């Protein structure tokens, strides 16, 4: 993993006694003053902080960084601008900490300390602060270097981040929690970033199996023959075009009374989506290794829940296959029979995600879970509705909707609900089969895809999260690093942490 070497720890120590390469101190633009502790520190370093404020070379603008080189016990005192206090939030904090960590790393710093009291605000609690700071450092510093062979010794790393705490708390629990979440996010990124010639359905299934045995999860991997016998006709149809055989992975975690119904998570696992016979043209065919993002996130969500011993029962179901063009591919106009017996008319082989999910969702529903949540890189249309900023979702149940919105706010992963108005069903009417899998004009793409999936979950409370756009980042900014983002991992763990 790109940053497995970093460790975050908390330390109760007077500021003037710190020995480190750098110390981050936060300042609000409208409160550029030194408290008693900072005054003590400043005195030790000859008043350099105070003079930076007085001569206006540091203004406290949001995201501003002013490094003061001392070559003493703290080699660099870094003043960090937090902007105006009333506009400050945990989101602003997370972005600032992640960007500062990246800057320090890229400048060759190997360790740094953070004076966390200076990043505080009356709006949030110390525990949240520590959790978010830890998470921002660990996810912000992520890099994917697995396939680099040259100049590996020149790659810069941060090895240690120390949270300097003034209060009596040791924050061990919060740091541990955030570290497990960050590891789940970063391992999700690693596996999604792994190229499609390596991360095949078999590879991902084997990966899940190994992770399950390390974590004590129950894991069953179904092979092609078993999937055929189970009559998952849609999944088998999609997988048919590839020389690689499909796998269905089922993982189970019991964190509470076994009699309590589980929450089911279904993840789309297309290890490469070429579009099939409706082949994607260049450049749309690029990055289609990220089409396994839902499955990979699901696997790491259940792993993290088990490591954190969250009091909830979970079942994860991930259909894994490739979508490829060949003489054995499924075709437009084919009619496939799903696991629940419904017949589906194919119109575009590139709308394969809903075809593997419909079987997996029907299978999940059969387990009578208390709720089903699917995570899928389902549509390019997700870019149209919310851009790169947020993730569209749909939901059929008020309680589940509240949970999602609440954990979205807490995890800082932005989600927005789309409606499931009945009119959208019209476009899925088929002349020959029970349903068509897409509408004729591609209108309301996120919703019609969801409308199709809805046929397979029955009455069970259900949410569908479309990470088609947010699975991938084009920028290195804040907690994002170019490549896979680990979308939904923070959200889902937050939701399951408080599941009732
Ligand atoms: N995996 C894609 C969705 C996707 C496209 C995600 C681009 C991220 C970026 C999915 O299988 C797909 O191709 N969907 C089609 C559906 C269409 C044919 C109805 C789409 O969204 O274009
Ligand atoms: Zn597709
Ligand atoms: Zn796809």
């Amino acid at each position: 993993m790109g940053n497995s070497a970093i460790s975050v720890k908390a330390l109760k120590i007077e500021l003037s006694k710190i020995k480190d390469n750098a110390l981050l101190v936060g300042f609000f633009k409208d409160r550029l003053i030194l408290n008693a502790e900072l005054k003590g520190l400043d005195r030790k370093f000859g008043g350099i902080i105070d003079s930076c404020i007085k001569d206006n070379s540091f203004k406290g603008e949001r995201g501003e960084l002013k490094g003061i080189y001392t070559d003493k016990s703290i080699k660099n005192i870094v003043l960090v601008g937090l902007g105006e206090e009333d506009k400050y939030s945990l989101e602003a904090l997370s972005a600032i900490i992640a960007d500062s960590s990246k800057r320090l790393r890229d400048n060759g710093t190997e360790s740094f300390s953070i004076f966390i009291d200076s990043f505080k605000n009356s709006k949030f609690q110390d525990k949240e602060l520590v959790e978010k700071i830890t998470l921002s450092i660990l996810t912000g510093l992520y890099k994917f270097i697995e396939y680099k062979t040259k100049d590996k010794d020149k790659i810069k790393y941060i090895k240690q981040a120390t949270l300097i705490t003034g209060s009596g708390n040791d924050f061990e629990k919060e740091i541990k929690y955030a570290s497990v979440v960050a590891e789940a996010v970063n391992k999700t990124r690693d596996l999604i970033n792994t190229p499609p010639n390596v991360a095949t359905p078999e590879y991902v299934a084997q990966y899940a199996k190994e992770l399950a045995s390390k974590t004590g999860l129950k894991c069953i991997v179904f092979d092609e023959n078993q999937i055929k016998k189970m009559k998952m006709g849609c999944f088998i149809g999609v997988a048919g075009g590839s020389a690689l055989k499909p796998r269905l992975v089922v993982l189970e975690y019991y964190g509470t009374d076994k009699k309590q119904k589980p929450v089911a998570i279904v993840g789309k696992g297309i290890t490469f989506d070429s579009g099939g016979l409706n082949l994607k043209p260049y450049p749309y065919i690029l990055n289609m290794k990220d089409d396994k993002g839902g499955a990979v996130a699901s696997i790491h969500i259940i792993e993290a829940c088990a490591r954190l011993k969250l009091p909830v029962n979970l079942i994860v179901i991930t259909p894994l296959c490739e979508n490829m063009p060949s003489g054995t591919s499924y075709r437009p106009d084919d009619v496939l029979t799903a696991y629940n017996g419904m017949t589906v008319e194919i119109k575009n082989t590139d709308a394969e995600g809903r075809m593997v999910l419909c079987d997996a969702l029907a299978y999940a529903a059969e387990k009578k879970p208390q709720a089903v949540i699917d995570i899928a890189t389902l549509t390019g249309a997700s870019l149209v509705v919310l851009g790169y900023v947020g993730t569209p979702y749909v939901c059929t149940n008020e309680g589940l909707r509240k949970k999602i919105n609440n954990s979205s706010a807490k995890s800082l992963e932005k989600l927005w609900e789309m409606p499931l108005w009945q009119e959208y069903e019209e476009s899925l009417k088929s002349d020959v089969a029970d349903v068509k899998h897409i509408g004729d004009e591609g209108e309301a793409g996120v919703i019609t895809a969801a409308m199709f999936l809805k046929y397979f979950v029955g009455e069970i409370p259900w949410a569908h999260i479309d990470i088609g756009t947010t699975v991938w980042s084009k920028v290195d900014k804040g907690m994002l690093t170019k490549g896979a983002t680990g979308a939904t991992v923070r959200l889902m763990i937050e939701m399951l942490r408080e599941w009732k």
Side-chain angles (χ1 to χ4, degrees), residues 268 270 273 280 288 291 350 352-353 377-378:
K268 172 177 171 182
I270 302 294
D273 181 9
K280 285 180 188 290
M288 281 301 139
D291 215 16
D350 197 11
E352 84 299 336
T377 46
L378 206 61

Side-chain angles (χ1 to χ4, degrees), residues 158-451:
I158 297 235
K159 294 186 180 130
Q160 176 75 57
T162 309
L163 313 187
I164 308 298
T165 65
S167 63
N169 282 326
D170 60 12
F171 298 113
E172 207 179 303
K173 250 172 68 189
E174 289 71 25
I175 293 177
K176 164 86 199 312
Y177 177 87
S179 302
V180 172
V181 177
E183 208 177 297
V185 172
N186 291 343
K187 279 160 74 175
T188 298
R189 289 158 128 180
D190 271 344
L191 185 52
I192 297 175
N193 286 332
T194 300
N197 59 323
V198 175
T200 61
E202 189 190 349
Y203 179 100
V204 177
Q206 188 58 32
Y207 178 101
K209 212 171 179 174
E210 282 165 22
L211 185 134
S213 85
K214 275 187 215 144
T215 323
L217 298 169
K218 188 174 162 197
C219 175
I220 308 173
V221 178
F222 297 99
D223 66 16
E224 189 190 29
N225 287 332
Q226 290 165 310
I227 300 165
K228 272 186 186 155
K229 268 197 203 131
M230 290 156 87
K231 294 199 173 353
M232 293 193 168
C234 295
F235 179 20
I236 284 295
V238 173
S242 173
L244 305 173
K245 302 286 186 214
R247 294 287 187 277
L248 179 74
V249 173
V250 179
L251 295 161
E252 287 174 38
Y253 162 65
Y254 295 94
T256 185
D257 188 344
K258 274 205 172 183
K259 276 186 232 134
Q260 233 186 67
K261 288 178 177 176
V263 175
I265 305 169
V266 176
K268 172 177 171 182
I270 302 294
T271 59
F272 182 70
D273 181 9
S274 72
L277 292 179
N278 294 104
L279 191 64
K280 285 180 188 290
Y282 178 88
Y284 302 103
I285 200 163
L286 297 178
N287 277 344
M288 281 301 139
K289 64 178 179 182
D290 71 11
D291 215 16
K292 59 186 181 300
V296 174
S298 307
I299 292 168
H300 292 102
I301 290 162
I302 195 171
E303 185 208 16
C305 291
R307 286 184 64 191
L308 295 166
K309 299 193 169 56
L310 300 186
V312 61
N313 295 334
L314 291 175
I315 174 164
V316 158
I317 299 159
T318 64
L320 300 161
C321 72
E322 257 194 334
N323 185 23
M324 295 293 259
S326 78
T328 54
S329 292
Y330 79 136
R331 319 159 187 78
D333 286 348
D334 275 0
V335 173
L336 303 177
T337 304
Y339 183 73
N340 71 349
M342 270 177 86
T343 55
V344 184
E345 185 188 6
I346 304 304
K347 284 294 168 198
N348 185 327
T349 60
D350 197 11
E352 84 299 336
R354 61 199 80 187
M355 302 310 295
V356 304
L357 285 175
C358 70
D359 282 342
L361 284 169
Y363 179 78
E366 211 179 62
K367 307 267 176 197
K368 305 236 175 306
Q370 49 174 311
V372 183
I373 301 165
D374 75 74
I375 306 168
T377 46
L378 206 61
T379 69
S382 56
L383 178 65
V384 180
V385 291
L386 297 178
Y388 295 99
V389 180
T391 303
Y393 80 95
V394 302
C395 187
T396 59
N397 176 275
E398 183 55 23
L400 187 54
R401 172 177 302 121
K402 280 198 178 132
K403 285 188 169 72
I404 293 177
N405 291 341
N406 185 35
S407 43
S408 167
K410 283 201 170 155
S411 67
L412 310 176
E413 280 202 61
K414 294 190 171 70
L415 273 83
W416 202 258
E417 191 183 2
M418 306 302 289
L420 284 174
W421 292 320
Q422 205 215 315
E423 288 92 325
Y424 294 113
E425 241 182 295
E426 277 300 307
S427 59
L428 298 177
K429 288 201 169 132
S430 163
D431 295 336
V432 295
D434 296 338
V435 280
K436 264 188 335 208
H437 70 152
I438 57 171
D440 292 331
E441 295 175 45
E443 74 284 6
V446 172
I447 301 172
T448 49
M451 224 58 200

